[in-house]
Amino acid sequence: MSSAIKHFTSRKVRFQEISEFLSNELKSAEFGGVIIKRSALGDKVVLQVGRVGLAIGRRGKTVRAITSTLREKYGLNNPSVEVEDLTNPELIANVMAQRLASSLERGRHYRRSAHGTLRRIMSSGAKGCEIVISGKITSQRARVEKFRDGFVAKCGHPAELFVDKATARAKIQRGILGVTVSIMAPDAVLPDDISIIAEPTYTSRDILHRREAEEEEEVDVLEDLELADDELDADELESLEDLEDLDDLEEVELEQETPPMEVEDFDDSELLKEESSEKSEVSSFEEE
C-alpha cells in the first residue's frame, strides 16, 4: 500500500472516530455532524447541533473538555471548536435517529414513535424516509420493523449523493434496539424525473374575445398597409417623373456629343484585280 493511500485512510479513520466521540458526548444536544477545516493557525472544528446551549455547557465547560480531548487523544493541531445551530434538524438523519432512540428509551411505543418521526421528516419537505428498528422490540424474540414513506434510493449514484443515513442505539429493559433512519433530500434530482407541460385551456368566451382581437388587429394592419401604399405611390410617381426628365436630358446630350457618321463609297476594282492574278498563278502551276 502506497503512502498516499495510507495517509487518506488514516484521515478517514480518525474522522470517523472523532464523529463517534462527539456523537456520544453531545447526544443530549442533538448532534448533527462535524466539519473539520485545516488552516495555518490550526484545525477548526465546527459542531452542528440542534441545541446550542447544551453543546456549549455552563460557562463553556463542555466545549473546553471537547477541545482538550481532540488535542490530546486525536492529535488535532491547536483545535478551535465552534458550535453551529442547525436550520432544519428534521432533515438530518443523525438527529432524528437520536430523537427516536431517546423516545424508545423513555418507554414510548415503537409504532407511535416511528410514525411520529416519519411524519415530522416528511412534513419538512423530504422526498422519502425509511426507519428500521431491530432487536427485542416487544418480546424476547428479536425481529425487524420497517416504516416507509415516499421514495428512498437504495443503490447507485442517487443513494450516495442524496440519501442521509444514520444509526443510533436505544437501551431498554429487554436489551439494545438498533435504530436506522434514511432520509431522501428534498432537492434530489433522479434520472427518471420528467416534467409535463400541460396546454392551456380556454373557454368559449375566451375564444370569442381572441377572435375579435385578431380581427381588429387584421383591420388595423390593412389600414396601415393602404396608407403606406398611398405614400409609396406618390413617391414612385415623383421618382418616375424625375427619371423621365433625366432620360430626356441624357438623350439630348448624346445627340450633341456624337456627330453623324460618314459612309465612304467602296471601290471593288482593286479586289477584282487581286482575285484574277491569284487565279492565273494557280492555272500556270497546274500546267507545269
Side-chain angles (χ1 to χ4, degrees):
M1 186 182 290
S2 64
S3 60
I5 296 174
K6 287 181 180 179
H7 173 69
F8 286 108
T9 304
S10 62
R11 282 184 59 184
K12 285 287 185 182
V13 170
R14 187 174 62 174
F15 180 80
Q16 188 64 30
E17 290 175 353
I18 291 171
S19 298
E20 290 180 0
F21 161 71
L22 293 173
S23 179
N24 294 327
E25 290 292 324
L26 303 174
K27 185 177 180 181
S28 59
E30 296 181 353
F31 175 73
V34 61
I35 301 172
I36 301 175
K37 300 178 182 178
R38 293 186 177 275
S39 63
L41 300 176
D43 295 331
K44 182 179 178 182
V45 181
V46 181
L47 306 178
Q48 297 175 339
V49 297
R51 299 177 180 179
V52 178
L54 293 176
I56 295 173
R58 180 175 293 181
R59 298 180 181 178
K61 181 180 179 181
T62 307
V63 172
R64 286 196 298 272
I66 290 172
T67 304
S68 63
T69 305
L70 292 175
R71 181 174 57 253
E72 295 171 3
K73 185 177 180 180
Y74 297 102
L76 293 184
N77 181 22
N78 191 19
S80 62
V81 179
E82 295 182 4
V83 181
E84 186 180 89
D85 189 13
L86 293 172
T87 56
N88 197 356
E90 283 76 15
L91 294 177
I92 307 299
N94 198 11
V95 174
M96 301 310 294
Q98 292 291 342
R99 286 184 182 179
L100 181 56
S102 63
S103 177
L104 294 174
E105 287 177 351
R106 291 194 300 267
R108 195 175 182 187
H109 195 267
Y110 75 98
R111 288 186 185 275
R112 182 175 295 179
S113 299
H115 283 297
T117 304
L118 201 65
R119 281 195 300 270
R120 282 194 294 273
I121 292 171
M122 295 303 295
S123 62
S124 298
K127 278 195 172 183
C129 178
E130 183 183 50
I131 297 173
V132 180
I133 302 175
S134 59
K136 298 177 181 179
I137 302 172
T138 56
S139 62
Q140 293 298 322
R141 192 171 202 176
R143 68 178 191 273
V144 177
E145 294 286 342
K146 294 184 179 181
F147 306 88
R148 297 189 189 93
D149 194 2
F151 173 76
V152 178
K154 295 297 181 105
C155 61
H157 186 65
E160 296 177 359
L161 192 62
F162 301 117
V163 177
D164 185 16
K165 190 174 181 179
T167 59
R169 296 176 182 85
K171 295 180 181 180
I172 60 175
Q173 192 174 9
R174 287 179 296 276
I176 295 176
L177 300 180
V179 177
T180 304
V181 178
S182 302
I183 301 174
M184 193 78 174
D187 56 349
V189 180
L190 300 175
D192 58 346
D193 282 348
I194 58 172
S195 59
I196 299 173
I197 302 173
E199 294 184 356
T201 56
Y202 299 101
T203 61
S204 57
R205 184 175 297 175
D206 295 335
I207 294 170
L208 290 174
H209 287 314
R210 287 182 61 189
R211 288 179 180 175
E212 291 176 358
E214 290 175 357
E215 291 176 357
E216 290 178 358
E217 288 180 0
E218 290 177 358
V219 171
D220 295 338
V221 170
L222 290 173
E223 290 178 355
D224 295 338
L225 289 173
E226 289 177 357
L227 292 173
D229 290 338
D230 294 339
E231 293 177 357
L232 288 172
D233 293 339
D235 296 337
E236 287 176 356
L237 288 173
E238 291 178 359
S239 61
L240 288 173
E241 291 176 357
D242 296 338
L243 288 173
E244 289 176 357
D245 295 339
L246 288 173
D247 291 338
D248 295 338
L249 290 172
E250 289 177 356
E251 289 178 359
V252 172
E253 289 176 356
L254 287 171
E255 289 178 356
Q256 292 177 358
E257 290 178 359
T258 57
M261 296 179 64
E262 295 180 358
V263 180
E264 297 180 355
D265 294 334
F266 183 72
D267 189 6
D268 59 349
S269 59
E270 295 180 358
L271 183 61
L272 293 172
K273 289 178 181 180
E274 291 177 358
E275 290 179 357
S276 62
S277 64
E278 290 177 358
K279 287 179 181 180
S280 62
E281 290 176 358
V282 171
S283 62
S284 63
F285 178 76
E286 289 177 355
E287 289 175 1
E288 292 176 357

